[in-house]
Amino acid sequence: MTRLSESSLPAPLAYDRAATTVGVVHFGPGAFFRAHQAAYFDDLLVTDPRWAICAAALKSSGVRDALASQDGLYTLVELGETTRLRTIGAIVELLVAAEDRERLAARLAHPDTRLVSLTVTEKGYCLGADGALDAAHPDILQDLATPSRPVSVIGWLVEGLARRRAAGLPPFVTLSCDNLPANGRKLRDAVVTLAAARDPALADWIAAQARFPCSMVDSITPATDDALRARVLAETGLEDAWPIQRETFTQWVIEDDLGPDAPDLASVGVSLTDDVEAWERAKLRLLNGAHSTLAYVGLMRGHETVSQAMADPALAAFVRAMMTQDIAPTLAAPAGLDVPAYIDALLARFRNPAIAHRLSQIAWDGSQKLPIRIGATLADALAAGRSVARLAVPLAAWMRFVIRQTRAGEALVDPLSADLAVLGEPAADSPDDVPAFLALERVFPPALAADLRVETALRDAWSGLPG
Ligand code: CS2
């Protein structure tokens, strides 16, 4: 079996890889990044060779090990009415931060590196419940003790920026691509806070000179499975250790603050706007909020994938009602976004029969995702005096999911898994468990937890769920 590599490529890429230079360092080379941002840069390289990518994982060597022997190349499979396969060549260097410290630091401090992007998921930001850097986070404590040997992505950004300042170089632009509201501002605050503990002058330099634009990213990307590997082999005749699949739809909206000397991302379909927060909010609350609802409620109703959950008429109707009646009123639509049409388009994307997007994948990290996806909407609805009956349903379903997983001895994929297991083990799986969950401050801000309307809605929602 022939392995995908530069020498086995059946057709040449649309650009000369050997002539590219690394302009981007990306932290978190998971499936989403390879499905989304890397594809945009792959398009950009056709006209501008300065934007090849060095992809860095913090600890895991899985991506490096899979892709290094195929020259960083991988197959991107777009699943829609027609299926499209393309080879992405934008990643020309693969590093593991914990193993390649000096190379990564040098790459961050290289004059050609102008952009550093991140997909490290919500938990990678090491933020507390208030959205500020969690100074008690074990990785942050370590970065405070040994700043030149960072372990967190925040520590790496500070180290990279410190080296650039020492070398008389301008800062790189830091671009968060995670599903967090105001992701760029949160990242800037976290970086400046950590830098201030190291050197106040460095923090001042970052605050004054570095850019941290916010961005909204979107493309549904189910995890790679053996069926995808087999399909790629069948269609290309080449073995690819880690192909990626995603829907055809892809969207990237970036705050128009990339500064001078930025990649011309608009030329490859990226929207640059002054109103990115409104786009982020609409996407996080409608798409991701509906996703998490389909995940926790859908799993309870015996479904495995998003399209199966959408084929359940009662669940599909519930999700639509939640989007139109509970979430949409909390959104100020940005110019160019027709919210009802957006909801219809999202529901159609969820029904995409070409995609098997596992609900269990979306159910990961609920403690991190739910406050952003549902909790914030619920708080707005309370403030406006509207009912929170429907919005309580995904939260109650998550609580029951935690209890059931714990009882079944299934490990929860969640940074709070230990705390959740402590709640799940003695739970009665009855509405009387609600107060114990509400006491989780990392998930439920005290004001929300103390509001009796919330507890009542959660108890009612719990009783209304199946089983
Ligand atoms: C999903 C997202 O896994 C999840 O939690 O809701 O990954 C979702 O598919 C993307 O944000 C779509 O852009």
Side-chain angles (χ1 to χ4, degrees), residues 41-66:
F41 281 101
D42 199 62
D43 287 338
L44 185 62
L45 285 169
V46 176
T47 53
D48 188 344
R50 296 176 303 159
W51 303 103
I53 301 166
C54 163
L58 285 177
K59 294 186 188 119
S60 157
S61 62
V63 173
R64 193 257 333 259
D65 296 346

Side-chain angles (χ1 to χ4, degrees), residues 36 72 106 135 175 226 234 236 323 334 412 452:
H36 186 271
L175 184 57
D226 287 342
T236 65
M323 292 166 94
L412 279 169
L452 267 184

Side-chain angles (χ1 to χ4, degrees), residues 40-41 44 115 175 252 254 258 263-270 272:
Y40 284 94
F41 281 101
L44 185 62
L115 188 73
L175 184 57
W252 196 2
I254 305 179
L258 285 167
D264 183 7
L265 288 169
S267 70
V268 290
V270 174
L272 295 166

Side-chain angles (χ1 to χ4, degrees), residues 32 36 122 179 216-222 247 249 251 283-284 287-292 349-350 357-358 361-364 369 373:
F32 186 79
H36 186 271
E122 298 85 346
N179 285 324
M216 179 272 250
V217 290
D218 188 10
S219 191
I220 289 173
T221 305
E247 63 179 336
F249 179 89
Q251 188 177 23
K283 189 260 172 175
L284 284 170
L287 188 157
N288 297 110
H291 249 177
S292 291
R349 288 168 63 195
F350 294 163
H357 194 189
R358 306 198 80 73
Q361 178 188 340
I362 300 170
W364 291 351
K369 292 173 176 174
R373 297 176 174 203

